[in-house]
Amino acid sequence: MASRRSSGDGGDGDESPAMRRLRRLSLHLLNPSSSPSDQEPEALALAACAAGPRRVQGGAEVSASLAAYLRGRHRETQARVFEFFQGRPDLQTPVEMSTAAHRDLCFRQLRALVRDAGVRPLSLMADDPSEYFAVMEAAGGVDISLGVKFGVQYSLWGGSIINLGTKKHRDKFFDGIDNLDIPGCFAMTELHHGSNVQALQTTATFDPVTDEFIINTPNDGAIKWWIGNAAVHGKYATVFARLILPLQGKAGTPADMGIHAFIVPIRDLETHAVLPGIEINDCGHKIGLNGVDNGALRFRSVRIPRDNLLNRFGDVSRDGKYTSSLPTINKRFAATLGELVGGRVGIAYSSVGILKVAVTIATRYALLRQQFGPPKQPEISVLDYQSHQHKLMPMLASSYAFHFATIYLVDKYSEMKKTNDEDVIADVHVLSSGLKAYITSYTAKSISICRESCGGHGYAAVNRFGALRNDHDIFQTFEGDNTVLLQQVAGDLLKQYQEKFKGGTLSVTWNYLRDSMSTYLSQPNPVTARWEGEDHLRDPNFQLDAFRYRTFRLLHSVAARLQKHSKTLGGFGAWNRCLNHLLTLAESHIESVILAKFIEAVKSCPDEKTRQVLKLVCDLYALDRIWKDIGTYRNVDYVAPNKAKAIHKLTDYLSYQVRLVARELVDAFDLPDLIIRAPIGLQSEAYAQYTQHVGF
């Protein structure tokens, strides 16, 4: 049984066994034995240092071991991308440039990656999605605008051809998209509609006389807006529009068959002139991502061949008859959007890469910068202050947690593309929605914290926080607004909850509810609610159970509230009344998934020393999350006051322990200077690089 104690704050006499062990560990780390007979691992022993930040002995080995474990099977592919751009100074993005120059550079970067470096992104996406996402992350490291433009061309434009079209479309367009002969767009969003795709107003009316579709923008609200690649470079667009069939409705009226995707040429392939009937305007300078040319498209009776309908889920014959293997508009719509989840997978994966860059810059600077100290003694590293550890170390732990979660997501997506298994498809849809929403929101907030933690030097453009913040900010909106995506997670969880009580089965993501529903419905054990020993609090079973208990209690209570309010407010009104509760539920569930994948990664690590470091980081991630929502656990008596206090103390101490290996943890991300770029975040000669930048 885990050790327990009173909650007093006195001296050694009432110190818990857990805290005594932590104190002894601290003394051991700060004063390692020099005896040759000492058998403790040297990797985590701290070297004595008269001045400056403490460093661990064997730090390079710790970093190398961690990096080897973090490194995916496509790290060599990423390294080749980095080396290519390192050898091309003409393709490196400067700190200051005009919008027009940035757009031109971004297209040249993409063209060089494809034609000079020999990368074939669309082939990778079709054959090995995990390698495709690795290349996308590397491209985004060079310039986030490049990563997004890469995604527009291949995930969206190319992905629509692969996933929504049939063989005739792939035969015609695949090679031209892959080698960038045919730059294209993904024209879904309209001025008046974004998240509510089913309400799009652009129409595609079939003309049986000419065997063509007529694409039309019926009003200003239907202008396609924020379309990447449209303002300058795009030659084709996948246009999402309402498929209208004349005389096929009741009493000979036109029939609206719902949203379908159509290939529409927008510029001449040779002259690049805008084609008749199409109006293109530039959305202009943005807060960020100004290397991406976003434009607005209006269609005035633009005719395209019938074959330009991407007809995987629905087709129109020569005589105007509609056929589909899916019986309803809603099922066809769900199948269409379900094939486009790759964009969300890529955004979640890329957002973790951006978080790693921001945390690396902030952590290295915090280790470098010294400020104040004991009287008549050298100044100490900023990262030695508890407040700074509290800002950055949980964020560093989250970077690791998100890394393993998105690796899992990419693997599930790859499995989905290979098997087309319906359960995996459903699981990936919810996972991609939840992880994209949760991770991008967290990263956006974290970049600002990193900027603040670097003081005035964080405000310098060359140190990148402004560009990282501005370029990443839209990640919370495109490919699904985060609030909308979290509602999809909550809705699916409620559906699974209902199915369970009907005797149905649960999808993979919710399996823990199947095993523990009866336990979570019961009251917490008053004995374990008071356990506060270190062994207990650092037990992954306790941590995961706490996360899952919170999720299930939120699920159970919101289900009851929805049932109650629906009687008076109706379904929509009840949902809106409980909306904040639903969003909290979705975030809680995603946190449970993230922690589960982190725990699995720790257990799977083959090297014992590396596993110990990862376990430390995982414990900080878990207990910091529990402490941040301690009110919820107290309200349901899952945690007694003395246990809450112990969690708080242990979280602070774990932040300190992670600080001792912070340099090794960020170095293990293995990010070259080309990707970091910020002078204050470089591994060496940071101040020299910084002063040279301003002219010294």
Side-chain angles (χ1 to χ4, degrees):
M1 180 178 293
S3 57
R4 292 184 286 162
R5 66 168 178 91
S6 70
S7 58
D9 274 330
D12 292 344
D14 63 353
E15 188 180 47
S16 75
M19 296 310 294
R20 283 198 297 274
R21 286 197 297 273
L22 285 170
R23 181 168 54 82
R24 287 197 296 271
L25 175 61
S26 173
L27 291 172
H28 167 71
L29 288 171
L30 293 173
N31 298 284
S33 170
S34 59
S35 170
S37 62
D38 194 309
Q39 297 300 311
E40 293 294 330
E42 293 183 359
L44 294 180
L46 292 175
C49 186
R54 294 184 294 272
R55 304 189 65 166
V56 298
Q57 292 177 351
E61 289 77 8
V62 174
S63 293
S65 179
L66 281 167
Y69 188 60
L70 292 179
R71 192 175 294 128
R73 65 182 187 274
H74 301 302
R75 183 61 180 182
E76 289 186 5
T77 300
Q78 291 186 316
R80 287 196 296 272
V81 173
F82 297 152
E83 289 169 7
F84 172 76
F85 282 102
Q86 184 66 50
R88 292 287 301 272
D90 60 306
L91 296 177
Q92 295 173 19
T93 306
V95 175
E96 298 179 62
M97 64 190 317
S98 68
T99 295
H102 198 178
R103 288 173 172 181
D104 177 69
L105 173 62
C106 193
F107 187 73
R108 288 191 291 111
Q109 289 171 331
L110 182 58
R111 185 173 57 199
L113 179 65
V114 171
R115 298 181 181 175
D116 299 343
V119 176
R120 286 292 179 265
L122 199 61
S123 297
L124 291 178
M125 187 168 69
D127 298 335
D128 187 352
S130 63
E131 186 171 8
Y132 169 80
F133 289 123
V135 174
M136 177 189 281
E137 182 190 26
V142 172
D143 186 332
I144 300 177
S145 284
L146 172 60
V148 171
K149 196 171 184 73
F150 180 101
V152 169
Q153 174 68 11
Y154 297 107
S155 294
L156 299 181
W157 161 230
S160 66
I161 300 299
I162 291 176
N163 297 316
L164 303 181
T166 50
K167 184 177 183 300
K168 63 184 178 182
H169 302 112
R170 290 190 288 272
D171 289 346
K172 182 175 181 179
F173 290 100
F174 190 100
D175 289 343
I177 295 173
D178 207 13
N179 63 24
L180 206 58
D181 282 345
I182 309 178
C185 316
F186 185 84
M188 178 180 281
T189 298
E190 295 178 355
L191 177 61
H192 194 58
H193 286 96
S195 297
N196 188 6
V197 178
Q198 280 189 295
L200 296 179
Q201 299 177 64
T202 301
T203 58
T205 304
F206 182 63
D207 182 348
V209 176
T210 61
D211 196 26
E212 294 172 317
F213 289 104
I214 305 170
I215 310 297
N216 198 52
T217 303
N219 54 63
D220 285 352
I223 296 172
K224 295 295 182 181
W225 209 272
W226 291 125
I227 309 306
N229 270 359
V232 179
H233 299 122
K235 296 180 183 294
Y236 278 85
T238 295
V239 176
F240 288 80
R242 316 193 73 81
L243 172 54
I244 308 297
L245 296 178
L247 308 177
Q248 299 293 318
K250 293 181 179 179
T253 58
D256 184 342
M257 307 307 296
I259 301 299
H260 289 65
F262 302 83
I263 301 171
V264 181
I266 60 174
R267 289 186 175 93
D268 188 277
L269 286 175
E270 300 299 327
T271 67
H272 204 60
V274 176
L275 295 175
I278 294 172
E279 182 181 353
I280 303 177
N281 284 293
D282 197 324
C283 290
H285 187 79
K286 307 183 293 293
I287 290 174
L289 293 180
N290 281 298
V292 182
D293 52 312
N294 294 90
L297 300 171
R298 185 198 293 273
F299 304 97
R300 291 187 171 90
S301 299
V302 176
R303 289 179 172 268
I304 60 171
R306 179 169 54 88
D307 278 349
N308 282 26
L309 166 65
L310 293 172
N311 62 337
R312 178 178 172 188
F313 298 115
D315 203 0
V316 175
S317 64
R318 177 65 186 86
D319 60 357
K321 300 295 184 183
Y322 186 83
T323 57
S324 175
S325 59
L326 301 171
T328 66
I329 287 178
N330 285 340
K331 286 187 179 296
R332 292 192 293 271
F333 178 74
T336 297
L337 291 195
E339 285 297 323
L340 302 175
V341 298
R344 292 173 189 165
V345 174
I347 289 171
Y349 192 78
S350 297
S351 183
V352 179
I354 294 168
L355 178 61
K356 289 176 183 176
V357 171
V359 171
T360 297
I361 296 170
T363 300
R364 285 180 176 165
Y365 179 70
L367 288 164
L368 170 73
R369 182 62 182 254
Q370 295 175 334
Q371 196 90 294
F372 305 112
K376 299 181 180 180
Q377 293 187 33
E379 291 184 303
I380 66 171
S381 165
V382 172
L383 199 54
D384 283 329
Y385 288 98
Q386 187 184 57
S387 57
H388 221 72
Q389 294 166 13
H390 181 71
K391 286 180 183 178
L392 296 183
M393 295 304 94
M395 194 187 301
L396 177 54
S398 296
S399 302
Y400 272 77
F402 298 166
H403 171 89
F404 294 116
T406 51
I407 290 294
Y408 171 72
L409 175 61
V410 169
D411 288 344
K412 293 294 290 185
Y413 178 79
S414 298
E415 179 187 350
M416 180 193 81
K417 299 305 292 183
K418 290 177 181 177
T419 65
N420 288 314
D421 182 275
E422 290 186 2
D423 290 337
V424 178
I425 291 172
D427 209 33
V428 170
H429 172 70
V430 177
L431 271 175
S432 62
S433 297
L435 287 172
K436 182 268 184 187
Y438 187 88
I439 291 172
T440 57
S441 293
Y442 184 92
T443 298
K445 295 180 180 72
S446 297
I447 294 170
S448 291
I449 294 171
C450 287
R451 201 294 307 159
E452 178 191 347
S453 74
C454 292
H457 294 313
Y459 201 62
V462 71
N463 287 322
R464 301 204 59 208
F465 291 117
L468 290 172
R469 179 193 61 207
N470 292 347
D471 285 348
H472 176 273
D473 196 60
I474 194 63
F475 280 43
Q476 300 174 93
T477 303
F478 62 17
E479 289 297 307
D481 175 86
N482 284 356
T483 301
V484 174
L485 294 182
L486 288 174
Q487 289 180 71
Q488 293 180 13
V489 175
D492 192 75
L493 185 48
L494 284 162
K495 178 183 175 183
Q496 300 284 346
Y497 178 78
Q498 185 180 39
E499 288 295 320
K500 175 62 181 176
F501 279 108
K502 289 181 179 179
T505 58
L506 298 178
S507 65
V508 176
T509 307
W510 323 111
N511 271 345
Y512 67 85
L513 296 180
R514 176 193 63 202
D515 300 329
S516 307
M517 188 172 286
S518 60
T519 302
Y520 294 144
L521 279 171
S522 63
Q523 290 299 312
N525 186 323
V527 176
T528 57
R530 297 187 59 80
W531 286 358
E532 57 184 73
E534 176 201 357
D535 292 342
H536 170 65
L537 296 181
R538 296 187 68 176
D539 184 343
N541 292 321
F542 157 70
Q543 297 165 0
L544 198 52
D545 186 77
F547 277 48
R548 290 173 170 177
Y549 181 86
R550 175 186 58 171
T551 300
F552 187 78
R553 296 296 296 193
L554 287 165
L555 173 58
H556 186 64
S557 57
V558 81
R561 288 185 66 204
L562 286 168
Q563 186 177 34
K564 171 188 173 183
H565 290 305
S566 63
K567 295 176 182 177
T568 55
L569 300 176
F572 182 85
W575 186 271
N576 195 34
R577 175 67 66 88
C578 302
L579 186 52
N580 289 334
H581 192 158
L582 290 161
L583 297 176
T584 303
L585 164 65
E587 290 178 338
S588 177
H589 170 67
I590 293 302
E591 286 183 348
S592 298
V593 173
I594 292 170
L595 178 60
K597 296 307 159 189
F598 201 170
I599 291 171
E600 288 177 14
V602 173
K603 291 179 178 178
S604 300
C605 182
D607 179 75
E608 182 179 354
K609 294 178 182 178
T610 305
R611 188 165 61 250
Q612 290 173 356
V613 175
L614 285 175
K615 177 67 167 63
L616 172 67
V617 177
C618 185
D619 288 343
L620 175 58
Y621 173 79
L623 292 175
D624 178 71
R625 287 298 190 281
I626 292 172
W627 173 247
K628 280 183 167 60
D629 199 22
I630 200 68
T632 296
Y633 293 105
R634 289 287 300 112
N635 287 341
V636 296
D637 294 323
Y638 187 84
V639 169
N642 66 305
K643 188 170 187 173
K645 191 173 185 179
I647 289 170
H648 188 199
K649 286 185 176 181
L650 185 54
T651 301
D652 282 346
Y653 195 80
L654 291 174
S655 288
Y656 164 70
Q657 292 293 320
V658 171
R659 175 262 174 272
L660 299 179
V661 289
R663 185 189 308 276
E664 288 67 36
L665 288 168
V666 297
D667 286 354
F669 291 146
D670 199 19
L671 299 173
D673 288 349
L674 171 74
I675 304 305
I676 298 298
R677 294 201 290 285
I680 62 171
L682 300 181
Q683 288 191 1
S684 61
E685 300 181 348
Y687 281 153
Q689 295 275 351
Y690 196 15
T691 54
Q692 287 174 19
H693 174 77
V694 300
F696 287 101

